[in-house]
Amino acid sequence: MTSSFFFLQTEKNEENQQLLDVLEEWASSEKKQIYVVDRPLGDEKYEYGHEGHVIILAPGRKICLVNFGEADDDFEEFVEDFIEDLGSISDKYNYKDSIGRPRKWRDQLIWEVPDGHSLDIDAYVEESFISDPSKRRVSELLISLITGSINDIERTRSDVPDNLLDKVKKKIILFDGDQTRFIYQQIDKKSVHIQGLSGTGKTELLLHKLRDIYVKNPSAKIVLTCHNRILAYSLQKRIPEFFNFMRVEQQIEWNKRLWCMHAWGSQSNPNSGTYRYICSHFDIPFFTFGDGSFDLACKRAIKAIEEKKKDTFAFDYILIDESQDFPQSFIDLCEVSAREYVVVAGDVFQSIFDAKIRPSISPDFLLSKCYRTDPRALMFAHSLGMGLFEKRKLRWLEDDEWSTCGYLVETNPDKSFYRLRREPLRRFEDISNSDFDSVAIIEEDTESDQEVADLVIKAINEICEEHPTTTPDDIGIILVDSGRTIYRLADKLEQLIPRKTGWPVNKAFETKMRTAGSIFISNRNNVKGLEFPFVICVSRRINRSYPYRNSLYMTLTRSFLKSYLILSSSQDEDMMSQIRYGLSIINEKGFIEAQPPTEEERSEIMTTITQANVKASFFDLCENIFDELEVLPIFRKELRKVVTATSGEDFDRDEVLEIARFNYTKMLKKEG
């Protein structure tokens, strides 16, 4: 299996094979990213007459142009053309003002090797290294241009940040080998599957793939689809922003060349959903929520299309996000409706309590690196969510499942003791385990809202003292508990934070969006897809319910620098001592230490998870949510009608909860 630390775009041959093999081995063993290409990626117009050259790219190192051909004059011509093209790309993405014209960086950052046979790994490692931090950043910005991993130059710039927060915020983002392969590798099959944990960059990669297809295929019909209406709306807003950022010169032709919509749709509008459009294109019956499940509707559509035996297609390319939310029949329907291919992107496991972690279909691209979160914070979030520190585990994975989720597994011969660690990430390479903890647990008396609010203010003050460049946008406050108490606390924080800090507050469970210049406050149902340098997670008491532990996991992984967990001091002391010790091992040694459950305990765990994952009926789900919201009996029948009409049949609990809360509030106000 090709390492994610190595990407090869050029053709391997007898001349360059030895060097390329050694470079790949070095990248994998040293865990250093290396790309080997023969031209800038992302645009087919860059072609060179010279044959036999390779371009070696590695963060923090000179761009190495190596000649394996015979004609020195042709190689020199290639070098000049390549540098000219790189300057042109720099100008296109507004990098030039930050890094300067090629004459400013050519001599210091470009290393020409006229005879590639003389280059070995020792010479490359020694000669290519750049010691000056500012020149290293310019080199990385140039690499981002060559590989198509375009950064916002206003955020990154070429100047070197002088503090930890800005070092991480302004880190130059480079796609790893797996991500780059997904974007640029030629697809020669009907469907390609990409899977990974939350935070591995799946949606961002889909946008890059979408842009690549749109630019290279001017007459193609493309749809980006997902299950959730809210996500579809969000993606529809992101696409124009992304295309503008990537300097796509072609105008977006909505509902002619490009569609972005959720899966089902409505009878009145063929462009309201992917399934609805397919039914319209093939002139087959469209089934609504009242006619049966989405799974059944897709199966009926496939049968109807096959019976028509028409050699037409609804779309040329179909891109599916969050594929784990769909039945297999929808993916099958997309395959029969796409002329070229379908890209299927999904989470390895959306919940840490999914009964099955192994992908049902072996993915073509498995993304195991979570780039959003510091590896130590991710390890703690998994450990706390699964109960790995506790004597009675809530979840355990098999060795191959741990590997699928990005863990390196170490165990003794009888497997009675495990150490689980994650590979380092470039985004966090400036953080030293010895001088910075990525998780802090605050345990104090939190019986009143005022006491909890005071602890939140204390955490905000600590963040600002340790990181003076902190802004309101850098902090997210997530209230993990359920019930009305969290809304009282949110109201208290809305009053207290502006008085104590001068910063406004955005209660996202009401606004449904992030507001620039405000501290973000939310319940646990509005955090998917978000990230902050700092997250303050508030919970009165840790309990062992699966939804609660999964919410802790989701919340703690929203931070990319540090998470604060505020708890009441009145906890189970045995459990808390185990959690504190487990966190200390992660912070000090960089791995999880855990004893696996026995076979009997594993069987009990899986049985409990399977039972917990049995989906309740829609009626029962609504009743549970109405109980949680304390909905009065006289409103329940009407509220259930509204929720049913809005949410659809393949319901998402978080979505139903928000719809119910919003409409119940309206009903109460209307009553007076």
Side-chain angles (χ1 to χ4, degrees), residues 13-20 51-54 56 65-72 113-121 123:
N13 55 44
E14 292 180 353
E15 299 295 324
N16 62 33
Q17 176 185 1
Q18 183 176 356
L19 177 63
L20 298 186
E51 295 182 359
H53 64 267
V54 298
I56 306 173
L65 309 181
V66 187
N67 180 30
F68 284 99
E70 296 181 359
D72 292 341
V113 182
D115 181 11
H117 302 93
S118 65
L119 182 64
D120 59 27
I121 189 64

Side-chain angles (χ1 to χ4, degrees), residues 377 380-385 389-390 437-446 452 455-456 458-460 462-463 475-481 534-543 548-557 559 561-569 571 575-576 578-580 583 587:
F380 178 75
H382 276 141
S383 299
L384 187 59
F389 300 140
E390 299 155 51
D437 292 339
S438 59
V439 176
I441 300 176
I442 300 173
E443 298 176 78
E444 292 191 28
D445 190 8
T446 58
V452 179
L455 291 178
V456 172
K458 179 181 177 181
I460 293 173
E462 180 181 312
I463 291 169
I475 299 174
I477 301 170
I478 314 297
L479 312 179
V480 181
D481 297 330
F534 306 100
V535 162
I536 301 172
C537 174
V538 181
S539 179
R540 296 296 174 94
R541 290 176 180 82
I542 293 179
N543 65 61
Y548 171 82
R549 289 293 182 108
N550 194 63
S551 296
L552 276 182
Y553 155 69
M554 290 288 292
T555 300
L556 291 169
T557 54
S559 78
L561 198 58
K562 187 169 185 176
S563 293
Y564 291 80
L565 178 57
I566 294 178
L567 301 168
S568 169
S569 55
Q571 302 277 336
M575 177 185 67
M576 285 308 303
Q578 294 161 1
I579 291 173
R580 289 188 216 104
L583 175 58
N587 277 330

Side-chain angles (χ1 to χ4, degrees), residues 9 58 88 127 162 248 297 319 322 342 404 438 459 473 588 614 667:
Q9 170 266 340
S88 175
E127 296 293 331
D162 59 0
V248 175
L319 282 64
E322 303 292 352
V342 179
T404 295
S438 59
D473 303 284
E588 294 169 13
V614 173
M667 290 177 179

Side-chain angles (χ1 to χ4, degrees), residues 589-609:
K589 300 181 179 180
F591 53 73
I592 300 169
E593 276 189 353
Q595 287 185 314
T598 64
E599 289 300 323
E600 182 179 353
E601 289 169 339
R602 292 188 200 198
S603 177
E604 291 176 0
I605 289 170
M606 292 311 300
T607 299
T608 306
I609 288 173

Side-chain angles (χ1 to χ4, degrees), residues 113 265 268 280-281 355 443 526 647 660:
V113 182
S268 59
S280 174
H281 174 83
E443 298 176 78
N526 292 277
S647 68

Side-chain angles (χ1 to χ4, degrees), residues 612-671:
N613 283 337
V614 173
K615 203 169 191 179
S617 70
F618 189 72
F619 181 89
D620 291 337
L621 175 72
C622 288
E623 283 299 298
N624 290 335
I625 288 174
F626 295 167
D627 290 342
E628 181 178 329
L629 297 177
E630 300 178 13
V631 176
L632 296 173
I634 59 171
F635 293 105
R636 294 199 174 200
K637 185 175 181 179
E638 182 63 27
L639 184 58
R640 189 177 295 107
K641 288 182 180 179
V642 174
V643 170
T644 302
T646 308
S647 68
E649 189 268 349
D650 261 335
F651 49 85
D652 174 84
R653 187 187 191 281
D654 292 344
E655 184 180 358
V656 172
L657 177 63
E658 292 308 313
I659 294 169
R661 177 182 289 112
F662 176 75
N663 286 281
Y664 183 50
T665 302
K666 286 175 59 178
M667 290 177 179
L668 290 175
K669 287 181 179 179
K670 186 176 179 180
E671 286 294 314

Side-chain angles (χ1 to χ4, degrees), residues 432-579:
S432 170
N433 289 11
S434 60
D435 60 15
F436 187 83
D437 292 339
S438 59
V439 176
I441 300 176
I442 300 173
E443 298 176 78
E444 292 191 28
D445 190 8
T446 58
E447 295 307 314
S448 70
D449 291 342
Q450 183 64 50
E451 289 169 328
V452 179
D454 288 341
L455 291 178
V456 172
I457 296 296
K458 179 181 177 181
I460 293 173
N461 289 336
E462 180 181 312
I463 291 169
C464 294
E465 288 172 8
E466 294 181 357
H467 308 277
T469 60
T470 300
T471 68
D473 303 284
D474 294 332
I475 299 174
I477 301 170
I478 314 297
L479 312 179
V480 181
D481 297 330
S482 58
R484 290 190 172 182
T485 57
I486 65 170
Y487 301 105
R488 292 201 313 265
L489 177 57
D491 291 339
K492 173 72 71 175
L493 290 169
E494 185 180 31
Q495 299 171 4
L496 190 62
I497 289 175
R499 291 206 306 264
K500 296 291 186 179
T501 68
W503 288 340
V505 162
N506 167 33
K507 291 194 291 187
F509 52 83
E510 294 178 352
T511 65
K512 303 298 182 185
M513 65 179 68
R514 290 185 71 168
T515 305
S518 299
I519 287 186
F520 180 96
I521 297 180
S522 178
N523 56 16
R524 66 195 190 190
N525 302 313
N526 292 277
V527 298
K528 285 186 177 180
L530 298 177
E531 70 170 31
F532 306 87
F534 306 100
V535 162
I536 301 172
C537 174
V538 181
S539 179
R540 296 296 174 94
R541 290 176 180 82
I542 293 179
N543 65 61
R544 288 178 61 85
S545 79
Y546 288 159
Y548 171 82
R549 289 293 182 108
N550 194 63
S551 296
L552 276 182
Y553 155 69
M554 290 288 292
T555 300
L556 291 169
T557 54
R558 297 304 105 186
S559 78
F560 63 75
L561 198 58
K562 187 169 185 176
S563 293
Y564 291 80
L565 178 57
I566 294 178
L567 301 168
S568 169
S569 55
S570 57
Q571 302 277 336
D572 180 329
E573 182 52 34
D574 285 343
M575 177 185 67
M576 285 308 303
S577 65
Q578 294 161 1
I579 291 173

Side-chain angles (χ1 to χ4, degrees), residues 271-284:
N271 294 312
S272 61
T274 303
Y275 161 68
R276 176 67 184 91
Y277 184 91
I278 290 171
C279 290
S280 174
H281 174 83
F282 288 105
D283 192 24
I284 59 176

